[in-house]
Amino acid sequence: MTEVSIEGLTKDYGSSLAVNGISVKIADGEFISLLGPSGCGKTTTLKMIAGFEDATAGAIRFDGQDVVNVPAEKRDIGMVFQNYALFPHMTVAQNLAFGLEMRRVSRSDIATRTARVLDMVQLSGYADRYPRQLSGGQQQRVALARALVIEPRILLLDEPLANLDAKLREEMRVFIRDLQKRVGITTVYVTHDQAEAMTMSDRVVVMFGGRIAQHGSPSDIYERPASLEVAQFVGQVNILEGKVVSPAAGDLTPVDTVLGQFLVRGVAPDANGTVTLTLRPEAVELASADTGGAQATVSASYYSGSLVDYRLTLDNGQTINVQTFPRNRWAAGDRVTIKVDGERFWPLGAPS
Amino acid sequence: MSKPLLTGYCLVIYAFLLMPILVVVGASFNAGAFLTFPPQGLSFRWYVVFFNNDVFMRAIRTSLWVAAVSTVISGIIGTMAAMFYIQHSGRWKESVRLAMLLPLLLPEVLTAISLLFFVYSIGIGTKTIAAMIIGHVLITLPFVFINVSAAMESYDPAWSLAARSLGAGPITRFRRIMLPLIKPGVIGGCLFAFIISFDIFTISFMLKNIGTATLPIQLYDYLRTNFTPEAAAVSTVSIVLTLAVVIISEKVLGLRIHRF
């Protein structure tokens, strides 16, 4: 039951500012992801929460109590490392028991707690194996179990799925998320994989260059990105220039674009009345018949099983990317009509 | 190279390397009064003479004692130095390494003479065995350092961090996590240190206090005036002792390398 509050956290390495005054509040039991490209300061932030790195400035509070001067071994955190960092000379059971021994838990309690957590990660029969005798996914679950068995105040995960193959990675996402929900532990998850951050988190914190670019729910981040950088980092995006036709009526503004005129939410036009709109590829629908929308020519199509990606060329020469289900298929050279709902546009620079 | 040819080549090299040892061992079983090879008849008489020779027995005890003490000191200092070397990356890293290996690169006689001046200038002198132990530590330190730092290369710093997050302080982290994982390197380094120390001549010769002699010094002394097979018996015993140390440490302490 721990709520984490980070205020003005800064890490100055002398030559560079790795983390530049970030502030986040993490509610009790919340799963939050720090998402960003390598070097954005997400791992440094995690290490400061863990106590492996000293903060240059700012505060980290667990339930209101500043832990900046508390050494890592006394912070009561559970940490899962990218390469798992299981102790190779200890069995699974000994790995799990280590943290409990440090807490002077009695021998019989160690046995029951270890067994319970191993059962939770579905590794009951593996107590006497050594880490080298386990597969990557199993090692991953042991690492989780080792972090959870001490019943820490918060759980920190540093790109824990980066070393697994694609299929296992998707299974583990669900597994970790379900486990976290069941245990109800406050969790901070570091990743550079946007899909991971989106599927697992209650809230995503997008970081660029040591600062928070945006934080919000996965759908906030994806559908209402605060900047072009964020929009592009969390998925593919089309950029369209728009011209405000008349002043907003309520929060809807009529905007003229190359795809036609739409009522767009949240527009804050510049002095010239222009606005930059983002449009996700899957927000666009295509039709063969001319239903009155903008016309385009298919210049390429990429089939990936459940989805098809099209590259379209509009009549003014602009390229637009579209993603649809493969119910109807078009080939290069086909003419298509584009259908978009105005709600699916999101203006950049919008007040969020 | 074809396989039989390679095998033959290896046999020749081994024969060349091992021949002197075989000759010494063979000569020690000589029944005659002089150190010759091939031996004139087989007998254990020179072993009997050797084991009844108080001077040699005392020298063996001194050698074992000096080797044990300097191995412990070298083991501790060398391991700490290797930990420092691995954990610190900076522009001084290579200088630290070079400084640690310097005793290997300098001629032993030079080190011995410098040490002689050093122990007198700091007031220790050669009245006690301390000077000799300082010398042995200096010479054996690089062997511990090389072995331990090699073992540390495959030590993942995340193991220490994981132990830290689980609540382990620095001493527990070293004792329960790092030491068991670098143990093969530490034991290997200490074995080297022990064997080298047992064998050192120049340093011991320069820094010994009057009345103390290690086995190599005693042997040298002996050979200046005598030429009996007893010298070969002494050498054989010292070879067996060295081998015994290696085999016992392997069995007792376990040199098994952990596979990850």
Side-chain angles (χ1 to χ4, degrees), chain A residues 51-52 71-73 77 79 81 83 85-90 98-99 101-103 132 146 150, chain B residues 156 158-170 172-173 176-177 180-181 258-260:
Chain A
F52 299 148
E73 53 266 41
I77 45 142
M79 175 106 183
F81 295 82
N83 57 1
L86 297 175
F87 306 131
H89 60 304
M90 296 184 186
F98 186 81
E101 286 164 18
M102 296 302 115
R103 284 162 175 73
R132 63 175 177 275
R146 185 179 65 179
I150 57 172
Chain B
D156 183 350
W159 290 327
S160 291
L161 290 183
R164 236 187 128 181
S165 74
L166 292 167
T172 312
R173 293 203 291 276
R176 299 262 330 251
I177 308 297
L181 289 168
H258 285 284
R259 280 165 194 271
F260 309 135

mmCIF file of all heavy atoms in Angstrom, chain A residues 51-52 71-73 77 79 81 83 85-90 98-99 101-103 132 146 150, chain B residues 156 158-170 172-173 176-177 180-181 258-260:
data_model
loop_
_atom_site.group_PDB
_atom_site.id
_atom_site.type_symbol
_atom_site.label_atom_id
_atom_site.label_comp_id
_atom_site.label_asym_id
_atom_site.label_seq_id
_atom_site.Cartn_x
_atom_site.Cartn_y
_atom_site.Cartn_z
ATOM 1 N N GLY A 51 17.189 3.538 -5.635
ATOM 2 C CA GLY A 51 18.269 3.928 -4.733
ATOM 3 C C GLY A 51 19.646 3.535 -5.235
ATOM 4 O O GLY A 51 20.636 3.649 -4.526
ATOM 5 N N PHE A 52 19.728 3.054 -6.478
ATOM 6 C CA PHE A 52 21.031 2.692 -7.051
ATOM 7 C C PHE A 52 21.790 3.914 -7.536
ATOM 8 O O PHE A 52 22.992 3.859 -7.753
ATOM 9 C CB PHE A 52 20.855 1.714 -8.220
ATOM 10 C CG PHE A 52 20.196 0.419 -7.836
ATOM 11 C CD1 PHE A 52 19.400 -0.265 -8.730
ATOM 12 C CD2 PHE A 52 20.379 -0.116 -6.567
ATOM 13 C CE1 PHE A 52 18.793 -1.459 -8.373
ATOM 14 C CE2 PHE A 52 19.768 -1.309 -6.202
ATOM 15 C CZ PHE A 52 18.973 -1.975 -7.106
ATOM 16 N N PRO A 71 19.318 4.296 1.895
ATOM 17 C CA PRO A 71 20.058 3.434 0.959
ATOM 18 C C PRO A 71 19.145 2.378 0.339
ATOM 19 O O PRO A 71 18.132 1.996 0.939
ATOM 20 C CB PRO A 71 21.138 2.792 1.831
ATOM 21 C CG PRO A 71 20.646 2.920 3.227
ATOM 22 C CD PRO A 71 19.790 4.149 3.278
ATOM 23 N N ALA A 72 19.533 1.912 -0.862
ATOM 24 C CA ALA A 72 18.708 0.965 -1.627
ATOM 25 C C ALA A 72 18.281 -0.232 -0.789
ATOM 26 O O ALA A 72 17.135 -0.681 -0.874
ATOM 27 C CB ALA A 72 19.474 0.493 -2.855
ATOM 28 N N GLU A 73 19.224 -0.756 0.035
ATOM 29 C CA GLU A 73 18.910 -1.981 0.776
ATOM 30 C C GLU A 73 17.859 -1.767 1.871
ATOM 31 O O GLU A 73 17.355 -2.723 2.437
ATOM 32 C CB GLU A 73 20.187 -2.633 1.343
ATOM 33 C CG GLU A 73 21.078 -1.739 2.180
ATOM 34 C CD GLU A 73 22.196 -1.091 1.364
ATOM 35 O OE1 GLU A 73 21.932 -0.666 0.225
ATOM 36 O OE2 GLU A 73 23.324 -1.000 1.888
ATOM 37 N N ILE A 77 12.109 -2.263 -1.802
ATOM 38 C CA ILE A 77 11.564 -2.311 -3.147
ATOM 39 C C ILE A 77 11.849 -3.693 -3.741
ATOM 40 O O ILE A 77 12.785 -4.372 -3.339
ATOM 41 C CB ILE A 77 12.224 -1.256 -4.052
ATOM 42 C CG1 ILE A 77 13.739 -1.267 -3.830
ATOM 43 C CG2 ILE A 77 11.680 0.125 -3.815
ATOM 44 C CD1 ILE A 77 14.523 -1.059 -5.036
ATOM 45 N N MET A 79 12.796 -5.475 -7.297
ATOM 46 C CA MET A 79 13.292 -5.024 -8.601
ATOM 47 C C MET A 79 13.479 -6.225 -9.527
ATOM 48 O O MET A 79 14.029 -7.246 -9.142
ATOM 49 C CB MET A 79 14.622 -4.307 -8.380
ATOM 50 C CG MET A 79 15.318 -3.882 -9.645
ATOM 51 S SD MET A 79 15.197 -2.106 -9.904
ATOM 52 C CE MET A 79 16.004 -1.963 -11.491
ATOM 53 N N PHE A 81 15.277 -7.155 -13.127
ATOM 54 C CA PHE A 81 16.269 -6.606 -14.047
ATOM 55 C C PHE A 81 16.074 -7.150 -15.462
ATOM 56 O O PHE A 81 15.495 -8.212 -15.662
ATOM 57 C CB PHE A 81 17.672 -6.960 -13.565
ATOM 58 C CG PHE A 81 18.021 -6.326 -12.250
ATOM 59 C CD1 PHE A 81 17.602 -6.881 -11.063
ATOM 60 C CD2 PHE A 81 18.760 -5.154 -12.215
ATOM 61 C CE1 PHE A 81 17.911 -6.295 -9.848
ATOM 62 C CE2 PHE A 81 19.078 -4.561 -11.002
ATOM 63 C CZ PHE A 81 18.652 -5.133 -9.822
ATOM 64 N N ASN A 83 18.197 -8.516 -17.480
ATOM 65 C CA ASN A 83 18.764 -9.860 -17.679
ATOM 66 C C ASN A 83 18.454 -10.763 -16.482
ATOM 67 O O ASN A 83 19.151 -11.731 -16.252
ATOM 68 C CB ASN A 83 20.259 -9.762 -17.934
ATOM 69 C CG ASN A 83 20.964 -9.063 -16.804
ATOM 70 O OD1 ASN A 83 20.325 -8.665 -15.813
ATOM 71 N ND2 ASN A 83 22.262 -8.905 -16.887
ATOM 72 N N ALA A 85 19.168 -11.193 -13.549
ATOM 73 C CA ALA A 85 20.119 -11.128 -12.426
ATOM 74 C C ALA A 85 19.806 -12.135 -11.335
ATOM 75 O O ALA A 85 19.928 -11.840 -10.148
ATOM 76 C CB ALA A 85 20.183 -9.699 -11.851
ATOM 77 N N LEU A 86 19.392 -13.339 -11.724
ATOM 78 C CA LEU A 86 19.221 -14.406 -10.726
ATOM 79 C C LEU A 86 20.603 -14.840 -10.257
ATOM 80 O O LEU A 86 21.550 -14.859 -11.046
ATOM 81 C CB LEU A 86 18.484 -15.591 -11.354
ATOM 82 C CG LEU A 86 17.067 -15.294 -11.830
ATOM 83 C CD1 LEU A 86 16.492 -16.517 -12.533
ATOM 84 C CD2 LEU A 86 16.183 -14.870 -10.677
ATOM 85 N N PHE A 87 20.709 -15.197 -8.977
ATOM 86 C CA PHE A 87 22.011 -15.628 -8.456
ATOM 87 C C PHE A 87 22.310 -17.016 -9.011
ATOM 88 O O PHE A 87 21.608 -17.977 -8.679
ATOM 89 C CB PHE A 87 21.997 -15.639 -6.936
ATOM 90 C CG PHE A 87 21.573 -14.324 -6.337
ATOM 91 C CD1 PHE A 87 20.610 -14.269 -5.351
ATOM 92 C CD2 PHE A 87 22.131 -13.124 -6.791
ATOM 93 C CE1 PHE A 87 20.209 -13.059 -4.805
ATOM 94 C CE2 PHE A 87 21.734 -11.909 -6.259
ATOM 95 C CZ PHE A 87 20.774 -11.870 -5.270
ATOM 96 N N PRO A 88 23.350 -17.148 -9.847
ATOM 97 C CA PRO A 88 23.555 -18.417 -10.544
ATOM 98 C C PRO A 88 23.994 -19.566 -9.638
ATOM 99 O O PRO A 88 23.836 -20.720 -10.013
ATOM 100 C CB PRO A 88 24.651 -18.095 -11.571
ATOM 101 C CG PRO A 88 25.273 -16.834 -11.120
ATOM 102 C CD PRO A 88 24.304 -16.115 -10.244
ATOM 103 N N HIS A 89 24.525 -19.246 -8.462
ATOM 104 C CA HIS A 89 25.006 -20.321 -7.584
ATOM 105 C C HIS A 89 23.930 -20.765 -6.601
ATOM 106 O O HIS A 89 24.208 -21.542 -5.697
ATOM 107 C CB HIS A 89 26.254 -19.867 -6.841
ATOM 108 C CG HIS A 89 26.038 -18.649 -5.984
ATOM 109 N ND1 HIS A 89 25.552 -17.462 -6.480
ATOM 110 C CD2 HIS A 89 26.240 -18.436 -4.672
ATOM 111 C CE1 HIS A 89 25.469 -16.580 -5.503
ATOM 112 N NE2 HIS A 89 25.880 -17.146 -4.398
ATOM 113 N N MET A 90 22.719 -20.234 -6.754
ATOM 114 C CA MET A 90 21.646 -20.614 -5.840
ATOM 115 C C MET A 90 20.492 -21.214 -6.633
ATOM 116 O O MET A 90 20.236 -20.819 -7.770
ATOM 117 C CB MET A 90 21.119 -19.369 -5.109
ATOM 118 C CG MET A 90 22.123 -18.702 -4.206
ATOM 119 S SD MET A 90 21.287 -17.348 -3.359
ATOM 120 C CE MET A 90 22.680 -16.601 -2.517
ATOM 121 N N PHE A 98 16.522 -15.601 -0.305
ATOM 122 C CA PHE A 98 17.563 -14.624 0.037
ATOM 123 C C PHE A 98 16.992 -13.353 0.687
ATOM 124 O O PHE A 98 17.428 -12.935 1.762
ATOM 125 C CB PHE A 98 18.384 -14.272 -1.210
ATOM 126 C CG PHE A 98 19.565 -13.394 -0.936
ATOM 127 C CD1 PHE A 98 20.750 -13.935 -0.461
ATOM 128 C CD2 PHE A 98 19.496 -12.015 -1.127
ATOM 129 C CE1 PHE A 98 21.840 -13.132 -0.195
ATOM 130 C CE2 PHE A 98 20.587 -11.203 -0.862
ATOM 131 C CZ PHE A 98 21.763 -11.765 -0.398
ATOM 132 N N GLY A 99 16.017 -12.752 0.007
ATOM 133 C CA GLY A 99 15.432 -11.513 0.522
ATOM 134 C C GLY A 99 14.741 -11.713 1.859
ATOM 135 O O GLY A 99 14.744 -10.818 2.715
ATOM 136 N N GLU A 101 15.614 -14.018 4.098
ATOM 137 C CA GLU A 101 16.669 -14.189 5.110
ATOM 138 C C GLU A 101 17.188 -12.828 5.569
ATOM 139 O O GLU A 101 17.456 -12.617 6.750
ATOM 140 C CB GLU A 101 17.821 -15.021 4.535
ATOM 141 C CG GLU A 101 17.478 -16.503 4.407
ATOM 142 C CD GLU A 101 18.429 -17.245 3.495
ATOM 143 O OE1 GLU A 101 19.545 -16.730 3.216
ATOM 144 O OE2 GLU A 101 18.053 -18.341 3.027
ATOM 145 N N MET A 102 17.320 -11.890 4.616
ATOM 146 C CA MET A 102 17.779 -10.548 4.967
ATOM 147 C C MET A 102 16.807 -9.879 5.936
ATOM 148 O O MET A 102 17.181 -9.023 6.713
ATOM 149 C CB MET A 102 17.900 -9.671 3.702
ATOM 150 C CG MET A 102 18.940 -10.131 2.706
ATOM 151 S SD MET A 102 20.588 -10.221 3.417
ATOM 152 C CE MET A 102 20.911 -11.959 3.321
ATOM 153 N N ARG A 103 15.518 -10.278 5.842
ATOM 154 C CA ARG A 103 14.491 -9.711 6.723
ATOM 155 C C ARG A 103 14.292 -10.561 7.975
ATOM 156 O O ARG A 103 13.325 -10.359 8.718
ATOM 157 C CB ARG A 103 13.181 -9.592 5.949
ATOM 158 C CG ARG A 103 13.199 -8.429 4.987
ATOM 159 C CD ARG A 103 12.124 -8.546 3.923
ATOM 160 N NE ARG A 103 12.094 -7.350 3.094
ATOM 161 C CZ ARG A 103 13.013 -7.040 2.179
ATOM 162 N NH1 ARG A 103 14.039 -7.830 1.981
ATOM 163 N NH2 ARG A 103 12.922 -5.925 1.484
ATOM 164 N N ARG A 132 20.393 -21.711 -14.537
ATOM 165 C CA ARG A 132 20.857 -22.121 -15.865
ATOM 166 C C ARG A 132 20.050 -23.280 -16.436
ATOM 167 O O ARG A 132 20.131 -23.553 -17.620
ATOM 168 C CB ARG A 132 22.345 -22.487 -15.813
ATOM 169 C CG ARG A 132 22.654 -23.662 -14.913
ATOM 170 C CD ARG A 132 24.119 -24.069 -14.981
ATOM 171 N NE ARG A 132 24.384 -25.154 -14.062
ATOM 172 C CZ ARG A 132 24.665 -25.000 -12.775
ATOM 173 N NH1 ARG A 132 24.718 -23.790 -12.263
ATOM 174 N NH2 ARG A 132 24.888 -26.044 -11.997
ATOM 175 N N ARG A 146 11.063 -13.581 -7.024
ATOM 176 C CA ARG A 146 12.058 -13.141 -6.051
ATOM 177 C C ARG A 146 11.784 -11.719 -5.593
ATOM 178 O O ARG A 146 11.993 -11.366 -4.431
ATOM 179 C CB ARG A 146 13.469 -13.244 -6.654
ATOM 180 C CG ARG A 146 14.558 -12.921 -5.667
ATOM 181 C CD ARG A 146 15.938 -13.038 -6.265
ATOM 182 N NE ARG A 146 16.171 -12.057 -7.306
ATOM 183 C CZ ARG A 146 17.315 -11.937 -7.970
ATOM 184 N NH1 ARG A 146 18.315 -12.758 -7.696
ATOM 185 N NH2 ARG A 146 17.462 -11.032 -8.906
ATOM 186 N N ILE A 150 9.283 -10.849 -1.069
ATOM 187 C CA ILE A 150 9.601 -10.012 0.098
ATOM 188 C C ILE A 150 8.462 -9.032 0.409
ATOM 189 O O ILE A 150 8.562 -8.243 1.342
ATOM 190 C CB ILE A 150 10.931 -9.234 -0.106
ATOM 191 C CG1 ILE A 150 10.862 -8.366 -1.364
ATOM 192 C CG2 ILE A 150 12.103 -10.189 -0.169
ATOM 193 C CD1 ILE A 150 12.048 -7.417 -1.537
ATOM 194 N N ASP B 156 28.327 -10.368 -13.112
ATOM 195 C CA ASP B 156 27.381 -9.342 -13.543
ATOM 196 C C ASP B 156 27.086 -8.394 -12.370
ATOM 197 O O ASP B 156 26.576 -8.838 -11.346
ATOM 198 C CB ASP B 156 26.099 -10.041 -14.002
ATOM 199 C CG ASP B 156 25.071 -9.056 -14.547
ATOM 200 O OD1 ASP B 156 25.278 -7.834 -14.402
ATOM 201 O OD2 ASP B 156 24.074 -9.520 -15.109
ATOM 202 N N ALA B 158 24.789 -6.569 -11.885
ATOM 203 C CA ALA B 158 23.361 -6.603 -11.524
ATOM 204 C C ALA B 158 23.102 -7.577 -10.369
ATOM 205 O O ALA B 158 22.135 -7.414 -9.639
ATOM 206 C CB ALA B 158 22.509 -6.981 -12.734
ATOM 207 N N TRP B 159 23.963 -8.589 -10.203
ATOM 208 C CA TRP B 159 23.793 -9.513 -9.071
ATOM 209 C C TRP B 159 23.917 -8.762 -7.749
ATOM 210 O O TRP B 159 23.148 -8.997 -6.826
ATOM 211 C CB TRP B 159 24.823 -10.651 -9.143
ATOM 212 C CG TRP B 159 24.566 -11.605 -10.263
ATOM 213 C CD1 TRP B 159 23.343 -11.967 -10.759
ATOM 214 C CD2 TRP B 159 25.532 -12.311 -11.044
ATOM 215 N NE1 TRP B 159 23.510 -12.867 -11.790
ATOM 216 C CE2 TRP B 159 24.832 -13.099 -11.988
ATOM 217 C CE3 TRP B 159 26.927 -12.367 -11.029
ATOM 218 C CZ2 TRP B 159 25.472 -13.919 -12.914
ATOM 219 C CZ3 TRP B 159 27.564 -13.188 -11.937
ATOM 220 C CH2 TRP B 159 26.840 -13.955 -12.873
ATOM 221 N N SER B 160 24.893 -7.864 -7.687
ATOM 222 C CA SER B 160 25.056 -7.084 -6.458
ATOM 223 C C SER B 160 23.868 -6.141 -6.255
ATOM 224 O O SER B 160 23.390 -5.969 -5.134
ATOM 225 C CB SER B 160 26.355 -6.264 -6.500
ATOM 226 O OG SER B 160 27.467 -7.122 -6.436
ATOM 227 N N LEU B 161 23.401 -5.554 -7.368
ATOM 228 C CA LEU B 161 22.246 -4.648 -7.265
ATOM 229 C C LEU B 161 21.005 -5.414 -6.811
ATOM 230 O O LEU B 161 20.238 -4.928 -5.977
ATOM 231 C CB LEU B 161 21.971 -3.977 -8.611
ATOM 232 C CG LEU B 161 22.998 -2.948 -9.093
ATOM 233 C CD1 LEU B 161 22.544 -2.331 -10.405
ATOM 234 C CD2 LEU B 161 23.228 -1.872 -8.046
ATOM 235 N N ALA B 162 20.825 -6.624 -7.379
ATOM 236 C CA ALA B 162 19.668 -7.435 -6.993
ATOM 237 C C ALA B 162 19.729 -7.745 -5.501
ATOM 238 O O ALA B 162 18.736 -7.590 -4.781
ATOM 239 C CB ALA B 162 19.638 -8.727 -7.809
ATOM 240 N N ALA B 163 20.919 -8.136 -5.031
ATOM 241 C CA ALA B 163 21.077 -8.448 -3.611
ATOM 242 C C ALA B 163 20.770 -7.213 -2.770
ATOM 243 O O ALA B 163 20.143 -7.288 -1.714
ATOM 244 C CB ALA B 163 22.489 -8.941 -3.332
ATOM 245 N N ARG B 164 21.199 -6.058 -3.277
ATOM 246 C CA ARG B 164 20.958 -4.798 -2.569
ATOM 247 C C ARG B 164 19.466 -4.526 -2.451
ATOM 248 O O ARG B 164 18.966 -4.174 -1.387
ATOM 249 C CB ARG B 164 21.594 -3.665 -3.366
ATOM 250 C CG ARG B 164 22.574 -2.884 -2.546
ATOM 251 C CD ARG B 164 23.056 -1.684 -3.280
ATOM 252 N NE ARG B 164 22.866 -0.550 -2.397
ATOM 253 C CZ ARG B 164 23.169 0.696 -2.707
ATOM 254 N NH1 ARG B 164 23.640 0.969 -3.901
ATOM 255 N NH2 ARG B 164 22.977 1.652 -1.848
ATOM 256 N N SER B 165 18.747 -4.698 -3.578
ATOM 257 C CA SER B 165 17.317 -4.415 -3.550
ATOM 258 C C SER B 165 16.592 -5.399 -2.630
ATOM 259 O O SER B 165 15.526 -5.087 -2.119
ATOM 260 C CB SER B 165 16.728 -4.479 -4.963
ATOM 261 O OG SER B 165 16.624 -5.813 -5.399
ATOM 262 N N LEU B 166 17.191 -6.565 -2.414
ATOM 263 C CA LEU B 166 16.558 -7.550 -1.528
ATOM 264 C C LEU B 166 16.921 -7.307 -0.067
ATOM 265 O O LEU B 166 16.487 -8.041 0.810
ATOM 266 C CB LEU B 166 16.962 -8.967 -1.954
ATOM 267 C CG LEU B 166 16.391 -9.404 -3.309
ATOM 268 C CD1 LEU B 166 17.072 -10.661 -3.810
ATOM 269 C CD2 LEU B 166 14.887 -9.620 -3.220
ATOM 270 N N GLY B 167 17.762 -6.281 0.170
ATOM 271 C CA GLY B 167 18.024 -5.892 1.548
ATOM 272 C C GLY B 167 19.396 -6.262 2.087
ATOM 273 O O GLY B 167 19.628 -6.182 3.283
ATOM 274 N N ALA B 168 20.322 -6.677 1.202
ATOM 275 C CA ALA B 168 21.640 -7.091 1.672
ATOM 276 C C ALA B 168 22.608 -5.910 1.728
ATOM 277 O O ALA B 168 22.757 -5.191 0.741
ATOM 278 C CB ALA B 168 22.195 -8.187 0.764
ATOM 279 N N GLY B 169 23.280 -5.735 2.858
ATOM 280 C CA GLY B 169 24.308 -4.709 3.011
ATOM 281 C C GLY B 169 25.596 -5.146 2.323
ATOM 282 O O GLY B 169 25.675 -6.265 1.817
ATOM 283 N N PRO B 170 26.622 -4.255 2.309
ATOM 284 C CA PRO B 170 27.836 -4.549 1.545
ATOM 285 C C PRO B 170 28.553 -5.843 1.964
ATOM 286 O O PRO B 170 29.023 -6.584 1.101
ATOM 287 C CB PRO B 170 28.728 -3.333 1.796
ATOM 288 C CG PRO B 170 28.030 -2.480 2.774
ATOM 289 C CD PRO B 170 26.629 -2.927 2.900
ATOM 290 N N THR B 172 27.301 -8.580 3.460
ATOM 291 C CA THR B 172 26.499 -9.744 3.052
ATOM 292 C C THR B 172 26.592 -9.948 1.545
ATOM 293 O O THR B 172 26.684 -11.083 1.069
ATOM 294 C CB THR B 172 25.021 -9.531 3.436
ATOM 295 O OG1 THR B 172 24.971 -9.086 4.772
ATOM 296 C CG2 THR B 172 24.238 -10.814 3.292
ATOM 297 N N ARG B 173 26.541 -8.838 0.802
ATOM 298 C CA ARG B 173 26.617 -8.958 -0.656
ATOM 299 C C ARG B 173 27.923 -9.632 -1.058
ATOM 300 O O ARG B 173 27.945 -10.490 -1.927
ATOM 301 C CB ARG B 173 26.549 -7.571 -1.318
ATOM 302 C CG ARG B 173 25.219 -6.873 -1.167
ATOM 303 C CD ARG B 173 25.020 -5.841 -2.251
ATOM 304 N NE ARG B 173 25.888 -4.681 -2.167
ATOM 305 C CZ ARG B 173 25.638 -3.613 -1.411
ATOM 306 N NH1 ARG B 173 24.566 -3.572 -0.659
ATOM 307 N NH2 ARG B 173 26.456 -2.586 -1.417
ATOM 308 N N ARG B 176 27.880 -13.514 0.493
ATOM 309 C CA ARG B 176 26.889 -14.473 -0.006
ATOM 310 C C ARG B 176 26.794 -14.503 -1.535
ATOM 311 O O ARG B 176 26.350 -15.481 -2.101
ATOM 312 C CB ARG B 176 25.490 -14.140 0.558
ATOM 313 C CG ARG B 176 25.405 -14.193 2.066
ATOM 314 C CD ARG B 176 24.832 -15.502 2.610
ATOM 315 N NE ARG B 176 23.886 -16.172 1.755
ATOM 316 C CZ ARG B 176 22.589 -16.259 1.988
ATOM 317 N NH1 ARG B 176 22.079 -15.694 3.044
ATOM 318 N NH2 ARG B 176 21.814 -16.939 1.165
ATOM 319 N N ILE B 177 27.128 -13.388 -2.194
ATOM 320 C CA ILE B 177 26.926 -13.344 -3.646
ATOM 321 C C ILE B 177 28.260 -13.300 -4.400
ATOM 322 O O ILE B 177 28.582 -14.183 -5.177
ATOM 323 C CB ILE B 177 26.062 -12.121 -4.055
ATOM 324 C CG1 ILE B 177 24.768 -12.078 -3.237
ATOM 325 C CG2 ILE B 177 25.784 -12.146 -5.555
ATOM 326 C CD1 ILE B 177 23.835 -13.237 -3.444
ATOM 327 N N PRO B 180 31.214 -16.295 -3.508
ATOM 328 C CA PRO B 180 30.959 -17.634 -4.088
ATOM 329 C C PRO B 180 31.099 -17.658 -5.602
ATOM 330 O O PRO B 180 31.506 -18.671 -6.167
ATOM 331 C CB PRO B 180 29.508 -17.934 -3.690
ATOM 332 C CG PRO B 180 29.209 -17.034 -2.555
ATOM 333 C CD PRO B 180 30.069 -15.828 -2.717
ATOM 334 N N LEU B 181 30.768 -16.537 -6.248
ATOM 335 C CA LEU B 181 30.779 -16.531 -7.708
ATOM 336 C C LEU B 181 32.169 -16.289 -8.297
ATOM 337 O O LEU B 181 32.439 -16.654 -9.428
ATOM 338 C CB LEU B 181 29.786 -15.500 -8.242
ATOM 339 C CG LEU B 181 28.320 -15.911 -8.040
ATOM 340 C CD1 LEU B 181 27.375 -14.764 -8.309
ATOM 341 C CD2 LEU B 181 27.982 -17.101 -8.917
ATOM 342 N N HIS B 258 31.631 -22.383 -12.124
ATOM 343 C CA HIS B 258 30.175 -22.361 -12.308
ATOM 344 C C HIS B 258 29.853 -22.059 -13.758
ATOM 345 O O HIS B 258 30.429 -21.169 -14.352
ATOM 346 C CB HIS B 258 29.546 -21.283 -11.423
ATOM 347 C CG HIS B 258 29.496 -21.673 -9.996
ATOM 348 N ND1 HIS B 258 28.582 -22.563 -9.520
ATOM 349 C CD2 HIS B 258 30.263 -21.300 -8.947
ATOM 350 C CE1 HIS B 258 28.780 -22.724 -8.221
ATOM 351 N NE2 HIS B 258 29.792 -21.979 -7.853
ATOM 352 N N ARG B 259 28.921 -22.797 -14.304
ATOM 353 C CA ARG B 259 28.459 -22.482 -15.664
ATOM 354 C C ARG B 259 27.156 -21.732 -15.556
ATOM 355 O O ARG B 259 26.266 -22.147 -14.846
ATOM 356 C CB ARG B 259 28.192 -23.774 -16.436
ATOM 357 C CG ARG B 259 29.415 -24.411 -16.966
ATOM 358 C CD ARG B 259 29.016 -25.817 -17.359
ATOM 359 N NE ARG B 259 30.186 -26.633 -17.593
ATOM 360 C CZ ARG B 259 30.772 -26.711 -18.772
ATOM 361 N NH1 ARG B 259 30.304 -26.043 -19.784
ATOM 362 N NH2 ARG B 259 31.828 -27.469 -18.929
ATOM 363 N N PHE B 260 27.067 -20.641 -16.301
ATOM 364 C CA PHE B 260 25.829 -19.851 -16.228
ATOM 365 C C PHE B 260 25.005 -20.085 -17.483
ATOM 366 O O PHE B 260 25.504 -20.024 -18.554
ATOM 367 C CB PHE B 260 26.146 -18.373 -16.077
ATOM 368 C CG PHE B 260 27.113 -18.114 -14.965
ATOM 369 C CD1 PHE B 260 28.171 -17.251 -15.137
ATOM 370 C CD2 PHE B 260 26.953 -18.778 -13.753
ATOM 371 C CE1 PHE B 260 29.069 -17.020 -14.117
ATOM 372 C CE2 PHE B 260 27.846 -18.554 -12.734
ATOM 373 C CZ PHE B 260 28.900 -17.675 -12.908
#
